[in-house]
Amino acid sequence: MAIQFVTGNEGKVREAREYLEGVEPVEQVAFDYTEIQSDDLGEIAAHGALEAFEELGGEDGVLVDDAGLFVDALGGFPGPYSAYVEDTVGVERLWRLASEEENRRAHFRTVLAYVDGELLRTAERSSRDGSDPRELGVQTFEGSVAGTLVAPRGEGGFGYDPIFEYNGTTMAEMSTEEKNAISHRGRALAAFADWYADR
Ligand code: ITT
């Protein structure tokens, strides 16, 4: 059984493959699920996973990853709007905005949402009180990491990695394995892999 990772972001796929090697093969699937308007990454990811699972059909598991960069001095901006801000403002200009602040602390957060046929059937059997059984079937796994924003450095990673420093190294200066060992996604993938192995 392969895990269908529904994302257009190859960097996310590279990190998931590196982490889940030996657990399950990860297949990248292009499907443009609806990103609902919400401040809650978990809600966005869970909704997307369910929609993609229903659209793709079959039994194989579907994984969705919704992530964001939260800058403390900017009230958590860009947060759930991080992809939009990267496309419009860009990483370099976000750094310039943050560099005017004394407090350069920020964190990354990601929520992985996973669902498959067996989870949905189990949820349907156990749902009694009228709540939507399909939503109960989706499993979510969260990870976050705190760091400091710096002028861009490094050629690796993707997205905001060049401006996010952890222990003196930007995430763009790390290998995939090094980034996974400390990153928000690595932590969420660890929680997912533990749960997956215990099933
Ligand atoms: P999909 O929705 O297709 O998975 P996306 O890149 O649009 O891909 P998000 O909606 O989760 O992903 O957007 C998150 C934004 O944060 C986006 O601009 C990413 O480049 C960036 N981002 C996510 N994870 C990151 C990471 O580990 N390092 C640096 N930037 C990251």
Side-chain angles (χ1 to χ4, degrees):
M1 198 162 112
I3 295 171
Q4 308 177 84
F5 194 174
V6 180
T7 176
N9 186 322
E10 313 225 324
K12 290 183 180 179
V13 178
R14 192 167 57 238
E15 290 169 19
R17 284 206 174 117
E18 204 275 338
Y19 202 96
L20 299 174
E21 206 187 336
V23 177
E24 204 72 81
V26 176
E27 228 173 78
Q28 182 175 8
V29 175
F31 170 70
D32 206 8
Y33 59 84
T34 318
E35 289 212 14
I36 56 164
Q37 279 289 330
S38 170
D39 289 343
D40 182 348
L41 298 181
E43 222 177 290
I44 301 170
H47 189 274
L50 209 46
E51 186 184 318
F53 181 79
E54 285 169 355
E55 195 61 36
L56 296 172
E59 274 292 297
D60 277 3
V62 164
L63 189 68
V64 161
D65 172 315
D66 201 46
L69 174 72
F70 298 75
V71 181
D72 288 8
L74 304 179
F77 179 84
Y81 311 104
S82 295
Y84 178 69
V85 169
E86 187 188 338
D87 289 346
T88 53
V89 172
V91 174
E92 174 81 42
R93 271 160 80 198
L94 181 71
W95 153 246
R96 272 189 260 147
L97 188 63
S99 69
E100 288 171 14
E101 305 293 332
E102 207 172 307
N103 174 6
R104 308 263 171 90
R105 301 291 294 163
H107 63 276
F108 272 122
R109 258 191 75 209
T110 195
V111 179
L112 292 173
Y114 176 82
V115 71
D116 61 24
E118 191 189 326
L119 282 174
L120 283 189
R121 280 191 298 278
T122 309
E124 269 157 19
R125 279 198 300 274
S126 58
S127 148
R128 284 181 214 101
D129 57 1
S131 50
D132 183 351
R134 297 174 318 148
E135 280 174 23
L136 297 174
V138 184
Q139 305 292 310
T140 56
F141 307 89
E142 204 183 310
S144 71
V145 60
T148 307
L149 296 183
V150 295
R153 286 194 333 255
E155 303 296 322
F158 66 93
Y160 297 97
D161 282 341
I163 64 167
F164 191 91
E165 189 184 71
Y166 178 87
N167 267 352
T169 308
T170 70
M171 282 189 169
E173 294 174 319
M174 299 178 188
S175 66
T176 304
E177 197 181 354
E178 286 163 345
K179 181 179 165 187
N180 268 346
I182 54 98
S183 76
H184 51 309
R185 184 160 300 99
R187 286 169 182 166
L189 283 165
F192 170 68
D194 279 355
W195 170 85
Y196 199 84
D198 279 355
R199 263 176 106 183

CSV table of all heavy atoms in Angstrom, one decimal, residues 5-9 12 15 31 33 35 41 64-69 79-87 108-110 157-162 164 171 179 183-185, ligand 1:
chain,number,residue,atom,x,y,z
A,5,PHE,N,0.7,11.3,-1.4
A,5,PHE,CA,0.9,12.6,-0.8
A,5,PHE,C,0.4,13.6,-1.7
A,5,PHE,O,1.0,13.8,-2.8
A,5,PHE,CB,2.4,12.8,-0.5
A,5,PHE,CG,2.8,13.9,0.4
A,5,PHE,CD1,4.1,14.1,0.8
A,5,PHE,CD2,1.9,14.8,0.9
A,5,PHE,CE1,4.5,15.1,1.6
A,5,PHE,CE2,2.2,15.9,1.7
A,5,PHE,CZ,3.5,16.0,2.1
A,6,VAL,N,-0.7,14.3,-1.3
A,6,VAL,CA,-1.3,15.2,-2.2
A,6,VAL,C,-0.7,16.6,-2.0
A,6,VAL,O,-1.1,17.3,-1.0
A,6,VAL,CB,-2.9,15.3,-2.0
A,6,VAL,CG1,-3.5,16.2,-2.9
A,6,VAL,CG2,-3.4,13.9,-2.2
A,7,THR,N,0.2,17.0,-2.9
A,7,THR,CA,0.8,18.3,-2.8
A,7,THR,C,1.5,18.7,-4.1
A,7,THR,O,1.9,17.8,-4.9
A,7,THR,CB,1.9,18.3,-1.7
A,7,THR,OG1,2.6,19.5,-1.7
A,7,THR,CG2,3.0,17.2,-1.9
A,8,GLY,N,1.6,19.9,-4.4
A,8,GLY,CA,2.3,20.4,-5.5
A,8,GLY,C,3.8,20.8,-5.2
A,8,GLY,O,4.5,21.2,-6.0
A,9,ASN,N,4.1,20.6,-3.9
A,9,ASN,CA,5.4,21.0,-3.4
A,9,ASN,C,6.4,19.9,-3.3
A,9,ASN,O,6.3,19.0,-2.4
A,9,ASN,CB,5.2,21.7,-2.0
A,9,ASN,CG,6.4,22.3,-1.4
A,9,ASN,OD1,7.5,21.8,-1.6
A,9,ASN,ND2,6.2,23.4,-0.8
A,12,LYS,N,8.3,19.2,0.1
A,12,LYS,CA,7.6,18.4,1.1
A,12,LYS,C,7.7,16.9,0.8
A,12,LYS,O,7.9,16.1,1.7
A,12,LYS,CB,6.1,18.8,1.1
A,12,LYS,CG,5.8,20.2,1.6
A,12,LYS,CD,4.3,20.4,1.6
A,12,LYS,CE,3.9,21.7,2.1
A,12,LYS,NZ,2.4,21.9,2.1
A,15,GLU,N,11.1,15.5,1.7
A,15,GLU,CA,11.3,15.3,3.2
A,15,GLU,C,10.5,14.1,3.6
A,15,GLU,O,11.0,13.3,4.5
A,15,GLU,CB,10.9,16.6,3.9
A,15,GLU,CG,12.0,17.7,3.6
A,15,GLU,CD,11.5,19.1,4.1
A,15,GLU,OE1,10.6,19.2,5.0
A,15,GLU,OE2,12.1,20.1,3.6
A,31,PHE,N,-3.5,17.0,-7.0
A,31,PHE,CA,-4.9,17.2,-6.9
A,31,PHE,C,-5.1,18.5,-6.1
A,31,PHE,O,-4.6,18.7,-5.0
A,31,PHE,CB,-5.6,16.1,-6.2
A,31,PHE,CG,-7.1,16.4,-5.8
A,31,PHE,CD1,-8.0,16.4,-6.9
A,31,PHE,CD2,-7.5,16.6,-4.5
A,31,PHE,CE1,-9.3,16.7,-6.6
A,31,PHE,CE2,-8.8,16.9,-4.3
A,31,PHE,CZ,-9.7,17.0,-5.3
A,33,TYR,N,-7.0,20.3,-3.9
A,33,TYR,CA,-8.1,20.3,-3.0
A,33,TYR,C,-8.4,21.7,-2.5
A,33,TYR,O,-7.6,22.6,-2.6
A,33,TYR,CB,-7.8,19.4,-1.8
A,33,TYR,CG,-6.5,19.8,-1.0
A,33,TYR,CD1,-6.6,20.8,0.0
A,33,TYR,CD2,-5.3,19.2,-1.3
A,33,TYR,CE1,-5.4,21.1,0.6
A,33,TYR,CE2,-4.2,19.6,-0.6
A,33,TYR,CZ,-4.2,20.5,0.4
A,33,TYR,OH,-3.1,20.9,1.0
A,35,GLU,N,-8.7,24.7,-0.3
A,35,GLU,CA,-8.1,25.2,1.0
A,35,GLU,C,-9.1,26.1,1.6
A,35,GLU,O,-9.3,27.2,1.3
A,35,GLU,CB,-6.8,25.9,0.7
A,35,GLU,CG,-5.7,25.0,0.3
A,35,GLU,CD,-4.3,25.4,0.8
A,35,GLU,OE1,-4.1,26.3,1.6
A,35,GLU,OE2,-3.3,24.8,0.2
A,41,LEU,N,-4.6,25.4,10.8
A,41,LEU,CA,-3.9,24.5,9.8
A,41,LEU,C,-4.5,23.1,9.8
A,41,LEU,O,-4.6,22.4,8.8
A,41,LEU,CB,-2.4,24.4,10.0
A,41,LEU,CG,-1.6,25.7,10.0
A,41,LEU,CD1,-0.1,25.4,10.2
A,41,LEU,CD2,-1.7,26.4,8.6
A,64,VAL,N,-2.0,14.9,3.5
A,64,VAL,CA,-2.0,16.3,3.1
A,64,VAL,C,-1.2,17.0,4.2
A,64,VAL,O,-1.2,16.6,5.4
A,64,VAL,CB,-3.4,16.9,3.0
A,64,VAL,CG1,-3.4,18.4,3.1
A,64,VAL,CG2,-4.1,16.4,1.8
A,65,ASP,N,-0.4,18.0,3.8
A,65,ASP,CA,0.5,18.8,4.7
A,65,ASP,C,0.1,20.2,4.6
A,65,ASP,O,0.3,20.8,3.5
A,65,ASP,CB,1.9,18.5,4.3
A,65,ASP,CG,3.0,19.3,5.0
A,65,ASP,OD1,2.8,20.5,5.2
A,65,ASP,OD2,4.0,18.8,5.4
A,66,ASP,N,-0.3,20.9,5.6
A,66,ASP,CA,-0.6,22.3,5.6
A,66,ASP,C,0.4,23.0,6.5
A,66,ASP,O,0.4,22.7,7.7
A,66,ASP,CB,-2.0,22.6,5.9
A,66,ASP,CG,-2.4,24.0,5.3
A,66,ASP,OD1,-2.0,24.3,4.1
A,66,ASP,OD2,-2.9,24.8,6.0
A,67,ALA,N,1.2,23.9,6.0
A,67,ALA,CA,2.3,24.5,6.8
A,67,ALA,C,2.2,26.0,6.8
A,67,ALA,O,1.6,26.6,5.9
A,67,ALA,CB,3.6,24.0,6.3
A,68,GLY,N,2.9,26.6,7.7
A,68,GLY,CA,3.0,28.0,7.7
A,68,GLY,C,4.2,28.5,8.6
A,68,GLY,O,4.7,27.8,9.5
A,69,LEU,N,4.6,29.8,8.2
A,69,LEU,CA,5.7,30.4,9.0
A,69,LEU,C,5.0,31.5,9.8
A,69,LEU,O,4.2,32.3,9.3
A,69,LEU,CB,6.7,31.1,8.1
A,69,LEU,CG,7.7,32.0,8.8
A,69,LEU,CD1,8.7,31.1,9.6
A,69,LEU,CD2,8.5,32.8,7.7
A,79,GLY,N,1.6,33.1,8.7
A,79,GLY,CA,0.8,32.0,9.2
A,79,GLY,C,0.1,31.2,8.1
A,79,GLY,O,0.7,30.7,7.1
A,80,PRO,N,-1.2,31.0,8.2
A,80,PRO,CA,-2.0,30.2,7.2
A,80,PRO,C,-1.9,30.8,5.8
A,80,PRO,O,-2.3,30.1,4.8
A,80,PRO,CB,-3.4,30.2,7.7
A,80,PRO,CG,-3.4,30.8,9.0
A,80,PRO,CD,-2.1,31.6,9.2
A,81,TYR,N,-1.4,32.0,5.7
A,81,TYR,CA,-1.3,32.7,4.3
A,81,TYR,C,0.1,32.6,3.8
A,81,TYR,O,0.4,33.4,2.8
A,81,TYR,CB,-1.9,34.1,4.4
A,81,TYR,CG,-3.2,34.1,5.1
A,81,TYR,CD1,-3.3,34.6,6.4
A,81,TYR,CD2,-4.3,33.7,4.5
A,81,TYR,CE1,-4.5,34.6,7.1
A,81,TYR,CE2,-5.5,33.6,5.2
A,81,TYR,CZ,-5.6,34.1,6.5
A,81,TYR,OH,-6.8,34.0,7.2
A,82,SER,N,0.9,31.7,4.3
A,82,SER,CA,2.3,31.7,3.9
A,82,SER,C,2.6,31.5,2.5
A,82,SER,O,3.5,32.0,1.8
A,82,SER,CB,3.1,30.7,4.8
A,82,SER,OG,3.1,31.0,6.1
A,83,ALA,N,1.8,30.6,1.8
A,83,ALA,CA,2.0,30.3,0.4
A,83,ALA,C,1.7,31.5,-0.4
A,83,ALA,O,2.4,31.8,-1.4
A,83,ALA,CB,1.2,29.1,0.0
A,84,TYR,N,0.6,32.1,-0.1
A,84,TYR,CA,0.2,33.3,-0.8
A,84,TYR,C,1.2,34.5,-0.7
A,84,TYR,O,1.6,35.1,-1.7
A,84,TYR,CB,-1.2,33.8,-0.3
A,84,TYR,CG,-1.7,35.0,-0.9
A,84,TYR,CD1,-2.2,35.0,-2.2
A,84,TYR,CD2,-1.8,36.2,-0.2
A,84,TYR,CE1,-2.7,36.2,-2.8
A,84,TYR,CE2,-2.3,37.4,-0.7
A,84,TYR,CZ,-2.7,37.4,-2.1
A,84,TYR,OH,-3.2,38.5,-2.6
A,85,VAL,N,1.7,34.6,0.5
A,85,VAL,CA,2.7,35.7,0.8
A,85,VAL,C,4.0,35.3,0.0
A,85,VAL,O,4.7,36.2,-0.5
A,85,VAL,CB,2.9,35.9,2.3
A,85,VAL,CG1,4.1,36.8,2.6
A,85,VAL,CG2,1.7,36.5,2.9
A,86,GLU,N,4.4,34.1,0.0
A,86,GLU,CA,5.6,33.7,-0.7
A,86,GLU,C,5.5,34.0,-2.2
A,86,GLU,O,6.4,34.6,-2.9
A,86,GLU,CB,6.0,32.2,-0.6
A,86,GLU,CG,7.3,31.9,-1.2
A,86,GLU,CD,7.6,30.4,-1.2
A,86,GLU,OE1,7.1,29.6,-0.4
A,86,GLU,OE2,8.5,30.0,-2.1
A,87,ASP,N,4.3,33.7,-2.8
A,87,ASP,CA,4.0,34.0,-4.2
A,87,ASP,C,3.9,35.5,-4.5
A,87,ASP,O,4.3,35.9,-5.6
A,87,ASP,CB,2.7,33.4,-4.6
A,87,ASP,CG,2.8,31.8,-4.7
A,87,ASP,OD1,3.9,31.3,-4.6
A,87,ASP,OD2,1.8,31.2,-4.8
A,108,PHE,N,7.9,27.7,12.6
A,108,PHE,CA,7.2,27.0,11.6
A,108,PHE,C,6.2,26.0,12.2
A,108,PHE,O,6.5,25.4,13.3
A,108,PHE,CB,8.2,26.1,10.8
A,108,PHE,CG,8.8,26.8,9.6
A,108,PHE,CD1,10.2,26.9,9.5
A,108,PHE,CD2,8.1,27.3,8.5
A,108,PHE,CE1,10.8,27.4,8.4
A,108,PHE,CE2,8.7,27.9,7.4
A,108,PHE,CZ,10.1,27.9,7.4
A,109,ARG,N,5.1,25.8,11.6
A,109,ARG,CA,4.1,24.8,12.1
A,109,ARG,C,3.7,24.0,10.9
A,109,ARG,O,3.4,24.6,9.8
A,109,ARG,CB,2.9,25.5,12.7
A,109,ARG,CG,2.9,25.5,14.2
A,109,ARG,CD,1.6,25.9,14.7
A,109,ARG,NE,0.6,24.8,14.6
A,109,ARG,CZ,-0.7,25.0,14.4
A,109,ARG,NH1,-1.2,26.2,14.3
A,109,ARG,NH2,-1.5,23.9,14.3
A,110,THR,N,3.5,22.7,11.0
A,110,THR,CA,2.8,22.0,10.0
A,110,THR,C,1.8,21.0,10.6
A,110,THR,O,2.0,20.5,11.7
A,110,THR,CB,3.8,21.2,9.1
A,110,THR,OG1,3.1,20.8,7.9
A,110,THR,CG2,4.4,20.0,9.7
A,157,GLY,N,16.8,23.1,0.8
A,157,GLY,CA,15.5,23.3,1.2
A,157,GLY,C,14.6,24.0,0.2
A,157,GLY,O,14.8,23.9,-1.0
A,158,PHE,N,13.6,24.7,0.7
A,158,PHE,CA,12.6,25.4,-0.2
A,158,PHE,C,11.9,26.5,0.6
A,158,PHE,O,12.1,26.6,1.9
A,158,PHE,CB,11.6,24.4,-0.8
A,158,PHE,CG,10.7,23.8,0.3
A,158,PHE,CD1,9.4,24.3,0.5
A,158,PHE,CD2,11.0,22.6,1.0
A,158,PHE,CE1,8.6,23.8,1.5
A,158,PHE,CE2,10.2,22.1,1.9
A,158,PHE,CZ,9.0,22.6,2.2
A,159,GLY,N,11.1,27.2,0.0
A,159,GLY,CA,10.3,28.2,0.6
A,159,GLY,C,11.1,29.2,1.5
A,159,GLY,O,12.1,29.8,1.1
A,160,TYR,N,10.7,29.3,2.8
A,160,TYR,CA,11.3,30.3,3.7
A,160,TYR,C,12.5,29.7,4.4
A,160,TYR,O,13.1,30.4,5.2
A,160,TYR,CB,10.3,30.6,4.8
A,160,TYR,CG,9.0,31.3,4.2
A,160,TYR,CD1,7.8,30.6,4.0
A,160,TYR,CD2,9.0,32.7,4.0
A,160,TYR,CE1,6.7,31.3,3.5
A,160,TYR,CE2,7.9,33.4,3.5
A,160,TYR,CZ,6.8,32.6,3.2
A,160,TYR,OH,5.7,33.3,2.7
A,161,ASP,N,13.0,28.6,4.0
A,161,ASP,CA,14.2,28.0,4.6
A,161,ASP,C,15.4,28.9,4.7
A,161,ASP,O,16.1,28.9,5.7
A,161,ASP,CB,14.6,26.6,3.9
A,161,ASP,CG,13.7,25.5,4.3
A,161,ASP,OD1,13.0,25.6,5.4
A,161,ASP,OD2,13.6,24.5,3.6
A,162,PRO,N,15.7,29.7,3.6
A,162,PRO,CA,16.9,30.5,3.7
A,162,PRO,C,16.9,31.6,4.7
A,162,PRO,O,18.0,32.0,5.2
A,162,PRO,CB,17.0,31.2,2.3
A,162,PRO,CG,16.2,30.3,1.4
A,162,PRO,CD,15.1,29.7,2.3
A,164,PHE,N,15.3,31.2,7.8
A,164,PHE,CA,14.9,30.6,9.1
A,164,PHE,C,16.1,29.9,9.7
A,164,PHE,O,16.6,28.9,9.2
A,164,PHE,CB,13.8,29.6,8.9
A,164,PHE,CG,13.2,29.2,10.2
A,164,PHE,CD1,12.1,29.9,10.8
A,164,PHE,CD2,13.6,28.1,10.9
A,164,PHE,CE1,11.5,29.5,12.0
A,164,PHE,CE2,13.1,27.6,12.1
A,164,PHE,CZ,12.0,28.3,12.6
A,171,MET,N,17.8,26.7,7.6
A,171,MET,CA,17.3,25.4,7.1
A,171,MET,C,17.7,25.1,5.7
A,171,MET,O,17.8,24.0,5.3
A,171,MET,CB,15.8,25.3,7.3
A,171,MET,CG,15.4,25.0,8.7
A,171,MET,SD,13.6,24.7,8.8
A,171,MET,CE,13.6,24.1,10.5
A,179,LYS,N,17.6,18.6,8.3
A,179,LYS,CA,16.4,19.4,8.5
A,179,LYS,C,15.3,18.6,9.1
A,179,LYS,O,14.6,19.0,10.1
A,179,LYS,CB,15.9,20.0,7.1
A,179,LYS,CG,14.7,20.9,7.3
A,179,LYS,CD,14.2,21.5,6.0
A,179,LYS,CE,12.7,22.0,6.2
A,179,LYS,NZ,12.1,22.5,4.9
A,183,SER,N,13.1,19.8,12.2
A,183,SER,CA,12.0,20.6,11.7
A,183,SER,C,10.6,20.3,12.1
A,183,SER,O,10.4,19.2,12.6
A,183,SER,CB,12.1,20.6,10.1
A,183,SER,OG,11.5,19.4,9.7
A,184,HIS,N,9.7,21.2,11.9
A,184,HIS,CA,8.3,21.0,12.1
A,184,HIS,C,7.8,19.8,11.4
A,184,HIS,O,7.1,19.0,11.9
A,184,HIS,CB,7.6,22.3,11.6
A,184,HIS,CG,7.9,22.7,10.3
A,184,HIS,ND1,9.3,22.9,9.9
A,184,HIS,CD2,7.2,23.0,9.2
A,184,HIS,CE1,9.3,23.2,8.6
A,184,HIS,NE2,8.1,23.3,8.1
A,185,ARG,N,8.2,19.7,10.1
A,185,ARG,CA,7.7,18.5,9.3
A,185,ARG,C,8.3,17.2,9.8
A,185,ARG,O,7.6,16.2,9.8
A,185,ARG,CB,8.0,18.7,7.8
A,185,ARG,CG,7.5,17.7,6.9
A,185,ARG,CD,7.4,18.1,5.4
A,185,ARG,NE,6.5,19.2,5.3
A,185,ARG,CZ,7.0,20.5,5.2
A,185,ARG,NH1,8.2,20.7,5.1
A,185,ARG,NH2,6.1,21.5,5.1
B,1,ITT,P1,0.7,22.3,-1.2
B,1,ITT,O1,-0.4,23.1,-0.6
B,1,ITT,O2,0.5,21.9,-2.6
B,1,ITT,O3,1.1,21.1,-0.3
B,1,ITT,P2,2.3,24.7,-0.7
B,1,ITT,O4,3.8,25.0,-0.9
B,1,ITT,O5,1.3,25.6,-1.2
B,1,ITT,O6,2.1,23.2,-1.2
B,1,ITT,P3,1.3,25.3,2.0
B,1,ITT,O7,0.0,25.6,1.6
B,1,ITT,O8,1.4,24.4,3.2
B,1,ITT,O9,2.1,24.5,0.9
B,1,ITT,O10,2.1,26.6,2.2
B,1,ITT,C1,3.1,26.8,3.1
B,1,ITT,C2,4.0,27.9,2.7
B,1,ITT,O11,5.1,27.8,3.6
B,1,ITT,C3,4.6,27.8,1.3
B,1,ITT,O12,5.0,29.1,0.8
B,1,ITT,C4,5.8,26.9,1.5
B,1,ITT,O13,6.9,27.2,0.6
B,1,ITT,C5,6.2,27.4,2.9
B,1,ITT,N1,6.8,26.2,3.7
B,1,ITT,C6,6.1,25.1,4.1
B,1,ITT,N2,7.0,24.3,4.7
B,1,ITT,C7,8.2,24.9,4.7
B,1,ITT,C8,9.4,24.5,5.1
B,1,ITT,O14,9.6,23.3,5.7
B,1,ITT,N3,10.4,25.3,4.9
B,1,ITT,C9,10.3,26.5,4.3
B,1,ITT,N4,9.1,27.0,3.8
B,1,ITT,C10,8.1,26.1,4.0
